[in-house]
């Protein structure tokens, strides 16, 4: 194995979190920083235009499952099988990571998401908690994170309307959101017909519609770092593709231009990290030390990169996988409840009902995150006293731009047509641009059985065990989906739909239907080492020179998309590293 000269900091992963951490550390210190990214540099592709088949269907931007798959089982009695084609979630690969092909929806978590356990018990008592839940508070509150949310919105460039500005409730924004210190840096994006119809309808039903916040520009925008992006052209190629004009915030257009100018940072592509090397110290729980990482370079050679500080920023799945492979921390044992590594795997609940409307919607136009939502059934905004579930989510009518290969073929179920033949073809053409989706994004409650560990059977291209997910929906999700489905069908009819296809409901977790790429947990944070893998600064409890950043540290999912919270936590961790850790290495209290 080749050994390279040591670096001050090595960062594993070149996505939102990895590039942001490099930018922040390099802004305030002279530390040498190496970013190791398993994929390639991809920006040259973007200006040549987008192709639905390549990006949406063949998943051009995503992790290659023939080299690195994930295995899945629903419970301990099943044998896990590798997912050979990603469907329910789409992890990215290459400089910029998953944030290159994300949808740019940019909501903060509601304050009680950080204290889901104690707030639920406070309002309803222990008896209301779902069977075999593994909920716990984060150890950090919304108030502590608020300044970092605000910072991220300025830097990423978010369009939206505040609903709670320093405690003042404002119509048109989300009045149920936590207090905000600042307005969004840009006004909301335009509201196409379908979303506006939802806005007018839900308002007439007594709900509180608001403009969805999005990291897509509603006007030309220059962020505090001096990066300028043009206004969105609503071309409809956004989620699953990168942006052709840089209107959608991506790590490569917001962070990379700065990272590239910093001489202290080098990015190595084609570098797949296999292990974090470390010295264990049996006497002190915090006495372990990371020595650096080993990776396989583009030529296939194994390389050791020594480093004083290791930052693991490789998304929920790889973050958990690399700690398991490296033997860092105590793997969670679901039977005994002991151990922390791998616990609290959650995946945001998501589904839609199809509303068949009377006139064309021009759905080919749109931008990521453009649309209207209601949060009247989110979190604990509504009373669950007489309901058979806790928590909730947001109902929306988004106008993100849709393409024919991915969305053609929906017809009202009441027509009782097979999915082939002349009659179906005629109806599918008629309804192609008249079908609007009323969608839902909600919370999955952490469950004792849902977790990550190493697969005992299947291996990746390097010969290492695959990451195994044991994941299934529980009664709480099933009942919540049933309740929301009924509300959404009601809204669809109130919008004037002559037919509505309800969602069939949640049975087993399905890896073929796109759910979202909002997977949380595995290396969760906690105030004490017996409850989590990292502390609230995302510093590993056993190894003080190892930080793990990203949604793997979330103890539960929110209904909100995770990236604003991921970035807010990354800023907070970066500040702690710069202001405290690098001045006096050790555990941050
Ligand atoms: C289709 C889609 C839509 C989305 N829409 C939204 C949205 O609207 N709003 C929202 O908040 N979030 C959204 N997300 C999620 C969002 O993209 C992620 O939360 C975010 O990108 C996570 O950032 P990260 O830095 O933690 O991980 P990533 O962006 O995934 O970066 C991790 C990087 O690490 C690299 N890596 C992994 N393993 C290794 C290894 N062993 N060695 C070296 N490198 C490695 C990967 O190649 C990758 O580049 C969406 C995701 C997808 C796929």
């Amino acid at each position: 194995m080749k050994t390279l000269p040591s670096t001050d900091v090595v960062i594993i992963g070149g996505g939102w979190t990895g590039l942001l951490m490099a930018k922040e550390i390099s802004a305030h210190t002279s530390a040498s920083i190496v970013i190791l990214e398993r994929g390639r540099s991809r920006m040259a592709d973007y200006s040549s235009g987008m192709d639905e088949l390549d990006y949406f269907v063949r998943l051009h931007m995503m992790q290659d499952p023939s080299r690195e798959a994930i295995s899945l089982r629903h419970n301990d009695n099943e044998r896990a099988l590798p997912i050979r084609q990603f469907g329910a979630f789409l992890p990215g690969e290459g400089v910029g990571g998953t944030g290159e092909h994300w949808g740019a929806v940019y909501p903060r978590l509601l304050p009680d998401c950080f204290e889901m356990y104690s707030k639920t018990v406070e309002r309803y008592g222990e008896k209301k908690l779902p069977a075999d839940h593994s909920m716990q508070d984060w150890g950090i509150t919304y108030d502590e994170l608020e300044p970092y949310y605000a910072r991220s919105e300025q830097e990423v460039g978010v369009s939206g309307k505040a609903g709670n500005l320093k405690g003042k409730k404002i119509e048109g924004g989300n009045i149920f959101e936590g207090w905000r210190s600042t307005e969004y840096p840009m006004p909301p994006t335009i509201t196409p017909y379908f979303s506006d119809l939802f806005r007018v309808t839900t308002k007439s039903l007594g709900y509180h519609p608001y403009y969805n916040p999005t990291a897509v520009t509603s006007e030309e925008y220059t962020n505090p770092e001096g990066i300028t992006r043009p206004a969105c052209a609503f071309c409809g190629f956004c989620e699953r593709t990168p942006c052709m004009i840089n209107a959608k915030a991506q790590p490569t257009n917001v962070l990379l231009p700065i990272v590239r100018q910093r001489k202290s940072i080098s990015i190595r592509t084609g570098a797949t990290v296999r292990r974090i090397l470390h010295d264990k110290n049996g006497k002190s729980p915090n006495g372990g030390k990371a020595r650096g990482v080993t990776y396989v370079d583009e030529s296939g050679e194994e390389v050791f990169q020594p480093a004083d500080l290791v930052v693991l920023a490789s998304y929920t799945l790889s973050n958990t996988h690399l700690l398991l492979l490296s033997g860092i921390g105590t793997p969670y044992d679901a039977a005994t409840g002991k151990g922390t590594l791998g616990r609290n795997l959650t995946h945001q609940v998501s589904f839609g009902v199809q509303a068949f409307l009377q006139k064309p919607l021009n759905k080919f136009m749109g931008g990521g995150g453009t649309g209207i939502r209601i949060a009247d059934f989110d979190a604990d905004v509504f009373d669950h006293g007489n309901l058979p579930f806790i928590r909730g989510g947001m109902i929306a009518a988004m106008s993100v731009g849709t393409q024919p290969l991915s969305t053609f073929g929906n017809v009202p179920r009441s027509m009782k047509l097979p999915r082939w033949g002349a009659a179906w073809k005629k109806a599918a053409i008629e309804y192609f641009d008249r079908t609007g989706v009323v969608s839902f994004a909600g919370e999955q409650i952490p469950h004792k059985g849902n977790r990550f560990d190493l697969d005992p059977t299947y291996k990746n291209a390097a010969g290492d065990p695959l990451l195994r997910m044991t994941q299934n929906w529980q009664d709480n999700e099933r009942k919540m989906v049933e309740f929301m489905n009924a509300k959404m069908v009601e809204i669809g009819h109130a919008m004037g739909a002559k037919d509505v296809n309800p969602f069939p409901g949640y049975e087993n977790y399905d890896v073929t239907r796109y759910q979202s790429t909002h997977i949380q947990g595995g290396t969760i944070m906690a105030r004490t080492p017996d409850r989590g893998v990292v502390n609230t600064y995302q510093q590993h409890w056993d190894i003080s020179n190892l930080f793990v950043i990203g949604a793997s540290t979330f103890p539960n999912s929110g209904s909100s998309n995770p990236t604003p919270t991921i970035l807010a936590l990354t800023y907070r961790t970066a500040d702690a590293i710069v202001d405290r850790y690098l001045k006096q290495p050790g555990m941050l209290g």
Side-chain angles (χ1 to χ4, degrees), residues 431-459:
Y431 283 111
F432 172 62
D433 197 33
R434 289 178 171 80
T435 313
V437 176
V438 177
S439 57
F440 176 77
E443 298 167 295
Q444 182 182 19
I445 302 303
H447 184 266
K448 283 179 184 158
N450 289 339
R451 62 193 191 273
F452 296 106
D453 61 5
L454 291 177
D455 192 288
T457 312
Y458 295 99
K459 297 194 166 29

PDB file of all heavy atoms in Angstrom, residues 431-459:
ATOM      1  N   TYR A 431     -55.236  12.548 -20.761  1.00  0.00           N
ATOM      2  CA  TYR A 431     -54.982  12.951 -19.378  1.00  0.00           C
ATOM      3  C   TYR A 431     -53.537  13.331 -19.099  1.00  0.00           C
ATOM      4  O   TYR A 431     -53.230  13.813 -18.003  1.00  0.00           O
ATOM      5  CB  TYR A 431     -55.414  11.823 -18.414  1.00  0.00           C
ATOM      6  CG  TYR A 431     -56.908  11.783 -18.242  1.00  0.00           C
ATOM      7  CD1 TYR A 431     -57.663  10.726 -18.745  1.00  0.00           C
ATOM      8  CD2 TYR A 431     -57.562  12.836 -17.610  1.00  0.00           C
ATOM      9  CE1 TYR A 431     -59.038  10.710 -18.601  1.00  0.00           C
ATOM     10  CE2 TYR A 431     -58.940  12.828 -17.462  1.00  0.00           C
ATOM     11  CZ  TYR A 431     -59.675  11.760 -17.960  1.00  0.00           C
ATOM     12  OH  TYR A 431     -61.029  11.765 -17.815  1.00  0.00           O
ATOM     13  N   PHE A 432     -52.637  13.101 -20.074  1.00  0.00           N
ATOM     14  CA  PHE A 432     -51.217  13.325 -19.780  1.00  0.00           C
ATOM     15  C   PHE A 432     -50.977  14.689 -19.127  1.00  0.00           C
ATOM     16  O   PHE A 432     -50.343  14.793 -18.080  1.00  0.00           O
ATOM     17  CB  PHE A 432     -50.362  13.174 -21.049  1.00  0.00           C
ATOM     18  CG  PHE A 432     -48.938  13.577 -20.809  1.00  0.00           C
ATOM     19  CD1 PHE A 432     -48.162  12.899 -19.880  1.00  0.00           C
ATOM     20  CD2 PHE A 432     -48.367  14.664 -21.470  1.00  0.00           C
ATOM     21  CE1 PHE A 432     -46.856  13.270 -19.615  1.00  0.00           C
ATOM     22  CE2 PHE A 432     -47.062  15.055 -21.206  1.00  0.00           C
ATOM     23  CZ  PHE A 432     -46.310  14.353 -20.282  1.00  0.00           C
ATOM     24  N   ASP A 433     -51.511  15.736 -19.720  1.00  0.00           N
ATOM     25  CA  ASP A 433     -51.258  17.069 -19.165  1.00  0.00           C
ATOM     26  C   ASP A 433     -52.413  17.578 -18.300  1.00  0.00           C
ATOM     27  O   ASP A 433     -52.461  18.751 -17.935  1.00  0.00           O
ATOM     28  CB  ASP A 433     -50.953  18.059 -20.312  1.00  0.00           C
ATOM     29  CG  ASP A 433     -50.275  19.320 -19.785  1.00  0.00           C
ATOM     30  OD1 ASP A 433     -49.507  19.207 -18.803  1.00  0.00           O
ATOM     31  OD2 ASP A 433     -50.548  20.412 -20.318  1.00  0.00           O
ATOM     32  N   ARG A 434     -53.336  16.686 -18.002  1.00  0.00           N
ATOM     33  CA  ARG A 434     -54.454  17.100 -17.134  1.00  0.00           C
ATOM     34  C   ARG A 434     -54.383  16.414 -15.765  1.00  0.00           C
ATOM     35  O   ARG A 434     -55.306  16.504 -14.979  1.00  0.00           O
ATOM     36  CB  ARG A 434     -55.796  16.766 -17.817  1.00  0.00           C
ATOM     37  CG  ARG A 434     -56.107  17.659 -19.019  1.00  0.00           C
ATOM     38  CD  ARG A 434     -57.426  17.257 -19.680  1.00  0.00           C
ATOM     39  NE  ARG A 434     -57.852  18.210 -20.689  1.00  0.00           N
ATOM     40  CZ  ARG A 434     -57.364  18.263 -21.934  1.00  0.00           C
ATOM     41  NH1 ARG A 434     -56.432  17.409 -22.322  1.00  0.00           N
ATOM     42  NH2 ARG A 434     -57.797  19.175 -22.790  1.00  0.00           N
ATOM     43  N   THR A 435     -53.301  15.670 -15.541  1.00  0.00           N
ATOM     44  CA  THR A 435     -53.155  14.961 -14.260  1.00  0.00           C
ATOM     45  C   THR A 435     -52.235  15.750 -13.336  1.00  0.00           C
ATOM     46  O   THR A 435     -51.050  15.928 -13.638  1.00  0.00           O
ATOM     47  CB  THR A 435     -52.538  13.557 -14.470  1.00  0.00           C
ATOM     48  OG1 THR A 435     -53.208  12.923 -15.550  1.00  0.00           O
ATOM     49  CG2 THR A 435     -52.639  12.708 -13.213  1.00  0.00           C
ATOM     50  N   GLY A 436     -52.793  16.210 -12.237  1.00  0.00           N
ATOM     51  CA  GLY A 436     -51.963  16.881 -11.231  1.00  0.00           C
ATOM     52  C   GLY A 436     -51.786  15.943 -10.044  1.00  0.00           C
ATOM     53  O   GLY A 436     -52.676  15.141  -9.741  1.00  0.00           O
ATOM     54  N   VAL A 437     -50.628  16.028  -9.388  1.00  0.00           N
ATOM     55  CA  VAL A 437     -50.404  15.156  -8.229  1.00  0.00           C
ATOM     56  C   VAL A 437     -50.443  15.994  -6.951  1.00  0.00           C
ATOM     57  O   VAL A 437     -49.684  16.956  -6.805  1.00  0.00           O
ATOM     58  CB  VAL A 437     -49.058  14.405  -8.341  1.00  0.00           C
ATOM     59  CG1 VAL A 437     -48.801  13.571  -7.083  1.00  0.00           C
ATOM     60  CG2 VAL A 437     -49.055  13.510  -9.576  1.00  0.00           C
ATOM     61  N   VAL A 438     -51.366  15.633  -6.071  1.00  0.00           N
ATOM     62  CA  VAL A 438     -51.377  16.220  -4.723  1.00  0.00           C
ATOM     63  C   VAL A 438     -50.492  15.303  -3.887  1.00  0.00           C
ATOM     64  O   VAL A 438     -50.762  14.100  -3.766  1.00  0.00           O
ATOM     65  CB  VAL A 438     -52.814  16.291  -4.150  1.00  0.00           C
ATOM     66  CG1 VAL A 438     -52.802  16.831  -2.726  1.00  0.00           C
ATOM     67  CG2 VAL A 438     -53.700  17.153  -5.045  1.00  0.00           C
ATOM     68  N   SER A 439     -49.394  15.851  -3.380  1.00  0.00           N
ATOM     69  CA  SER A 439     -48.380  14.971  -2.777  1.00  0.00           C
ATOM     70  C   SER A 439     -48.272  15.179  -1.269  1.00  0.00           C
ATOM     71  O   SER A 439     -48.693  16.207  -0.729  1.00  0.00           O
ATOM     72  CB  SER A 439     -47.026  15.214  -3.445  1.00  0.00           C
ATOM     73  OG  SER A 439     -46.680  16.578  -3.318  1.00  0.00           O
ATOM     74  N   PHE A 440     -47.659  14.186  -0.637  1.00  0.00           N
ATOM     75  CA  PHE A 440     -47.493  14.223   0.811  1.00  0.00           C
ATOM     76  C   PHE A 440     -46.054  13.881   1.162  1.00  0.00           C
ATOM     77  O   PHE A 440     -45.462  12.974   0.574  1.00  0.00           O
ATOM     78  CB  PHE A 440     -48.434  13.202   1.475  1.00  0.00           C
ATOM     79  CG  PHE A 440     -48.268  13.111   2.968  1.00  0.00           C
ATOM     80  CD1 PHE A 440     -48.794  14.090   3.793  1.00  0.00           C
ATOM     81  CD2 PHE A 440     -47.573  12.055   3.543  1.00  0.00           C
ATOM     82  CE1 PHE A 440     -48.626  14.030   5.172  1.00  0.00           C
ATOM     83  CE2 PHE A 440     -47.407  11.979   4.923  1.00  0.00           C
ATOM     84  CZ  PHE A 440     -47.940  12.968   5.737  1.00  0.00           C
ATOM     85  N   ALA A 441     -45.489  14.590   2.117  1.00  0.00           N
ATOM     86  CA  ALA A 441     -44.166  14.259   2.664  1.00  0.00           C
ATOM     87  C   ALA A 441     -44.301  14.230   4.174  1.00  0.00           C
ATOM     88  O   ALA A 441     -44.734  15.230   4.768  1.00  0.00           O
ATOM     89  CB  ALA A 441     -43.140  15.300   2.241  1.00  0.00           C
ATOM     90  N   GLY A 442     -43.991  13.091   4.783  1.00  0.00           N
ATOM     91  CA  GLY A 442     -44.236  12.969   6.219  1.00  0.00           C
ATOM     92  C   GLY A 442     -43.113  12.270   6.969  1.00  0.00           C
ATOM     93  O   GLY A 442     -42.091  11.879   6.409  1.00  0.00           O
ATOM     94  N   GLU A 443     -43.353  12.124   8.258  1.00  0.00           N
ATOM     95  CA  GLU A 443     -42.326  11.602   9.161  1.00  0.00           C
ATOM     96  C   GLU A 443     -42.436  10.089   9.349  1.00  0.00           C
ATOM     97  O   GLU A 443     -43.547   9.574   9.491  1.00  0.00           O
ATOM     98  CB  GLU A 443     -42.498  12.268  10.539  1.00  0.00           C
ATOM     99  CG  GLU A 443     -42.305  13.766  10.509  1.00  0.00           C
ATOM    100  CD  GLU A 443     -42.792  14.437  11.784  1.00  0.00           C
ATOM    101  OE1 GLU A 443     -44.010  14.396  12.051  1.00  0.00           O
ATOM    102  OE2 GLU A 443     -41.966  14.991  12.514  1.00  0.00           O
ATOM    103  N   GLN A 444     -41.299   9.415   9.355  1.00  0.00           N
ATOM    104  CA  GLN A 444     -41.293   8.024   9.800  1.00  0.00           C
ATOM    105  C   GLN A 444     -40.772   7.995  11.228  1.00  0.00           C
ATOM    106  O   GLN A 444     -39.713   8.559  11.526  1.00  0.00           O
ATOM    107  CB  GLN A 444     -40.392   7.127   8.927  1.00  0.00           C
ATOM    108  CG  GLN A 444     -40.453   5.674   9.402  1.00  0.00           C
ATOM    109  CD  GLN A 444     -39.564   4.697   8.647  1.00  0.00           C
ATOM    110  OE1 GLN A 444     -38.618   5.078   7.975  1.00  0.00           O
ATOM    111  NE2 GLN A 444     -39.874   3.417   8.779  1.00  0.00           N
ATOM    112  N   ILE A 445     -41.530   7.348  12.088  1.00  0.00           N
ATOM    113  CA  ILE A 445     -41.125   7.258  13.496  1.00  0.00           C
ATOM    114  C   ILE A 445     -40.020   6.209  13.615  1.00  0.00           C
ATOM    115  O   ILE A 445     -40.160   5.096  13.086  1.00  0.00           O
ATOM    116  CB  ILE A 445     -42.336   6.830  14.370  1.00  0.00           C
ATOM    117  CG1 ILE A 445     -43.496   7.819  14.204  1.00  0.00           C
ATOM    118  CG2 ILE A 445     -41.936   6.698  15.842  1.00  0.00           C
ATOM    119  CD1 ILE A 445     -43.189   9.247  14.527  1.00  0.00           C
ATOM    120  N   PRO A 446     -38.888   6.546  14.290  1.00  0.00           N
ATOM    121  CA  PRO A 446     -37.843   5.530  14.447  1.00  0.00           C
ATOM    122  C   PRO A 446     -38.362   4.322  15.216  1.00  0.00           C
ATOM    123  O   PRO A 446     -39.105   4.464  16.194  1.00  0.00           O
ATOM    124  CB  PRO A 446     -36.736   6.251  15.206  1.00  0.00           C
ATOM    125  CG  PRO A 446     -37.274   7.551  15.629  1.00  0.00           C
ATOM    126  CD  PRO A 446     -38.564   7.819  14.917  1.00  0.00           C
ATOM    127  N   HIS A 447     -37.960   3.161  14.740  1.00  0.00           N
ATOM    128  CA  HIS A 447     -38.471   1.903  15.279  1.00  0.00           C
ATOM    129  C   HIS A 447     -37.276   1.027  15.660  1.00  0.00           C
ATOM    130  O   HIS A 447     -36.262   1.025  14.956  1.00  0.00           O
ATOM    131  CB  HIS A 447     -39.318   1.229  14.181  1.00  0.00           C
ATOM    132  CG  HIS A 447     -39.984  -0.021  14.611  1.00  0.00           C
ATOM    133  ND1 HIS A 447     -39.429  -1.269  14.419  1.00  0.00           N
ATOM    134  CD2 HIS A 447     -41.178  -0.215  15.222  1.00  0.00           C
ATOM    135  CE1 HIS A 447     -40.246  -2.184  14.904  1.00  0.00           C
ATOM    136  NE2 HIS A 447     -41.316  -1.581  15.397  1.00  0.00           N
ATOM    137  N   LYS A 448     -37.446   0.273  16.745  1.00  0.00           N
ATOM    138  CA  LYS A 448     -36.314  -0.524  17.248  1.00  0.00           C
ATOM    139  C   LYS A 448     -35.738  -1.463  16.194  1.00  0.00           C
ATOM    140  O   LYS A 448     -34.549  -1.749  16.171  1.00  0.00           O
ATOM    141  CB  LYS A 448     -36.759  -1.351  18.456  1.00  0.00           C
ATOM    142  CG  LYS A 448     -36.863  -0.534  19.708  1.00  0.00           C
ATOM    143  CD  LYS A 448     -37.318  -1.379  20.883  1.00  0.00           C
ATOM    144  CE  LYS A 448     -37.492  -0.487  22.099  1.00  0.00           C
ATOM    145  NZ  LYS A 448     -38.382  -1.064  23.097  1.00  0.00           N
ATOM    146  N   GLY A 449     -36.611  -1.985  15.317  1.00  0.00           N
ATOM    147  CA  GLY A 449     -36.144  -2.986  14.345  1.00  0.00           C
ATOM    148  C   GLY A 449     -35.534  -2.389  13.087  1.00  0.00           C
ATOM    149  O   GLY A 449     -34.813  -3.076  12.358  1.00  0.00           O
ATOM    150  N   ASN A 450     -35.819  -1.131  12.773  1.00  0.00           N
ATOM    151  CA  ASN A 450     -35.320  -0.523  11.533  1.00  0.00           C
ATOM    152  C   ASN A 450     -33.893  -0.026  11.761  1.00  0.00           C
ATOM    153  O   ASN A 450     -33.663   0.853  12.607  1.00  0.00           O
ATOM    154  CB  ASN A 450     -36.232   0.623  11.089  1.00  0.00           C
ATOM    155  CG  ASN A 450     -37.572   0.105  10.586  1.00  0.00           C
ATOM    156  OD1 ASN A 450     -37.698  -1.067  10.209  1.00  0.00           O
ATOM    157  ND2 ASN A 450     -38.578   0.955  10.577  1.00  0.00           N
ATOM    158  N   ARG A 451     -32.948  -0.578  10.979  1.00  0.00           N
ATOM    159  CA  ARG A 451     -31.538  -0.308  11.305  1.00  0.00           C
ATOM    160  C   ARG A 451     -30.613  -0.660  10.146  1.00  0.00           C
ATOM    161  O   ARG A 451     -31.038  -1.252   9.159  1.00  0.00           O
ATOM    162  CB  ARG A 451     -31.136  -1.137  12.518  1.00  0.00           C
ATOM    163  CG  ARG A 451     -31.237  -2.643  12.249  1.00  0.00           C
ATOM    164  CD  ARG A 451     -31.147  -3.409  13.556  1.00  0.00           C
ATOM    165  NE  ARG A 451     -30.984  -4.842  13.393  1.00  0.00           N
ATOM    166  CZ  ARG A 451     -31.988  -5.706  13.254  1.00  0.00           C
ATOM    167  NH1 ARG A 451     -33.238  -5.279  13.202  1.00  0.00           N
ATOM    168  NH2 ARG A 451     -31.738  -6.993  13.148  1.00  0.00           N
ATOM    169  N   PHE A 452     -29.351  -0.318  10.296  1.00  0.00           N
ATOM    170  CA  PHE A 452     -28.302  -0.713   9.346  1.00  0.00           C
ATOM    171  C   PHE A 452     -27.340  -1.676  10.041  1.00  0.00           C
ATOM    172  O   PHE A 452     -27.040  -1.508  11.229  1.00  0.00           O
ATOM    173  CB  PHE A 452     -27.446   0.486   8.941  1.00  0.00           C
ATOM    174  CG  PHE A 452     -28.147   1.581   8.193  1.00  0.00           C
ATOM    175  CD1 PHE A 452     -28.448   2.786   8.826  1.00  0.00           C
ATOM    176  CD2 PHE A 452     -28.449   1.453   6.848  1.00  0.00           C
ATOM    177  CE1 PHE A 452     -29.045   3.833   8.127  1.00  0.00           C
ATOM    178  CE2 PHE A 452     -29.049   2.490   6.139  1.00  0.00           C
ATOM    179  CZ  PHE A 452     -29.347   3.678   6.781  1.00  0.00           C
ATOM    180  N   ASP A 453     -26.814  -2.646   9.268  1.00  0.00           N
ATOM    181  CA  ASP A 453     -25.642  -3.399   9.723  1.00  0.00           C
ATOM    182  C   ASP A 453     -24.919  -3.935   8.493  1.00  0.00           C
ATOM    183  O   ASP A 453     -25.254  -3.551   7.369  1.00  0.00           O
ATOM    184  CB  ASP A 453     -26.016  -4.500  10.738  1.00  0.00           C
ATOM    185  CG  ASP A 453     -26.976  -5.539  10.169  1.00  0.00           C
ATOM    186  OD1 ASP A 453     -27.291  -5.476   8.966  1.00  0.00           O
ATOM    187  OD2 ASP A 453     -27.408  -6.422  10.922  1.00  0.00           O
ATOM    188  N   LEU A 454     -23.933  -4.795   8.687  1.00  0.00           N
ATOM    189  CA  LEU A 454     -23.209  -5.341   7.540  1.00  0.00           C
ATOM    190  C   LEU A 454     -23.893  -6.609   7.058  1.00  0.00           C
ATOM    191  O   LEU A 454     -24.298  -7.455   7.871  1.00  0.00           O
ATOM    192  CB  LEU A 454     -21.752  -5.642   7.918  1.00  0.00           C
ATOM    193  CG  LEU A 454     -20.875  -4.417   8.196  1.00  0.00           C
ATOM    194  CD1 LEU A 454     -19.468  -4.846   8.621  1.00  0.00           C
ATOM    195  CD2 LEU A 454     -20.799  -3.486   6.989  1.00  0.00           C
ATOM    196  N   ASP A 455     -24.011  -6.747   5.750  1.00  0.00           N
ATOM    197  CA  ASP A 455     -24.659  -7.924   5.189  1.00  0.00           C
ATOM    198  C   ASP A 455     -23.739  -9.140   5.362  1.00  0.00           C
ATOM    199  O   ASP A 455     -22.556  -9.084   5.026  1.00  0.00           O
ATOM    200  CB  ASP A 455     -24.948  -7.691   3.696  1.00  0.00           C
ATOM    201  CG  ASP A 455     -25.871  -8.756   3.155  1.00  0.00           C
ATOM    202  OD1 ASP A 455     -25.426  -9.912   2.991  1.00  0.00           O
ATOM    203  OD2 ASP A 455     -27.050  -8.437   2.923  1.00  0.00           O
ATOM    204  N   PRO A 456     -24.293 -10.252   5.883  1.00  0.00           N
ATOM    205  CA  PRO A 456     -23.436 -11.425   6.118  1.00  0.00           C
ATOM    206  C   PRO A 456     -23.121 -12.195   4.834  1.00  0.00           C
ATOM    207  O   PRO A 456     -22.245 -13.068   4.834  1.00  0.00           O
ATOM    208  CB  PRO A 456     -24.286 -12.286   7.062  1.00  0.00           C
ATOM    209  CG  PRO A 456     -25.696 -11.861   6.820  1.00  0.00           C
ATOM    210  CD  PRO A 456     -25.666 -10.433   6.357  1.00  0.00           C
ATOM    211  N   THR A 457     -23.815 -11.892   3.731  1.00  0.00           N
ATOM    212  CA  THR A 457     -23.672 -12.704   2.515  1.00  0.00           C
ATOM    213  C   THR A 457     -23.041 -11.946   1.355  1.00  0.00           C
ATOM    214  O   THR A 457     -22.114 -12.437   0.712  1.00  0.00           O
ATOM    215  CB  THR A 457     -25.077 -13.204   2.064  1.00  0.00           C
ATOM    216  OG1 THR A 457     -25.739 -13.752   3.193  1.00  0.00           O
ATOM    217  CG2 THR A 457     -24.955 -14.238   0.949  1.00  0.00           C
ATOM    218  N   TYR A 458     -23.571 -10.772   1.054  1.00  0.00           N
ATOM    219  CA  TYR A 458     -23.216 -10.105  -0.206  1.00  0.00           C
ATOM    220  C   TYR A 458     -22.088  -9.084  -0.017  1.00  0.00           C
ATOM    221  O   TYR A 458     -22.019  -8.420   1.017  1.00  0.00           O
ATOM    222  CB  TYR A 458     -24.453  -9.415  -0.797  1.00  0.00           C
ATOM    223  CG  TYR A 458     -25.509 -10.412  -1.184  1.00  0.00           C
ATOM    224  CD1 TYR A 458     -26.581 -10.668  -0.340  1.00  0.00           C
ATOM    225  CD2 TYR A 458     -25.404 -11.125  -2.378  1.00  0.00           C
ATOM    226  CE1 TYR A 458     -27.551 -11.607  -0.680  1.00  0.00           C
ATOM    227  CE2 TYR A 458     -26.368 -12.064  -2.732  1.00  0.00           C
ATOM    228  CZ  TYR A 458     -27.432 -12.299  -1.873  1.00  0.00           C
ATOM    229  OH  TYR A 458     -28.386 -13.231  -2.205  1.00  0.00           O
ATOM    230  N   LYS A 459     -21.265  -8.986  -1.077  1.00  0.00           N
ATOM    231  CA  LYS A 459     -20.100  -8.079  -1.006  1.00  0.00           C
ATOM    232  C   LYS A 459     -20.104  -7.091  -2.167  1.00  0.00           C
ATOM    233  O   LYS A 459     -20.728  -7.354  -3.207  1.00  0.00           O
ATOM    234  CB  LYS A 459     -18.814  -8.912  -1.037  1.00  0.00           C
ATOM    235  CG  LYS A 459     -18.666  -9.839   0.162  1.00  0.00           C
ATOM    236  CD  LYS A 459     -17.263 -10.360   0.261  1.00  0.00           C
ATOM    237  CE  LYS A 459     -16.930 -11.008   1.585  1.00  0.00           C
ATOM    238  NZ  LYS A 459     -17.961 -11.645   2.354  1.00  0.00           N
TER     239      LYS A 459
END
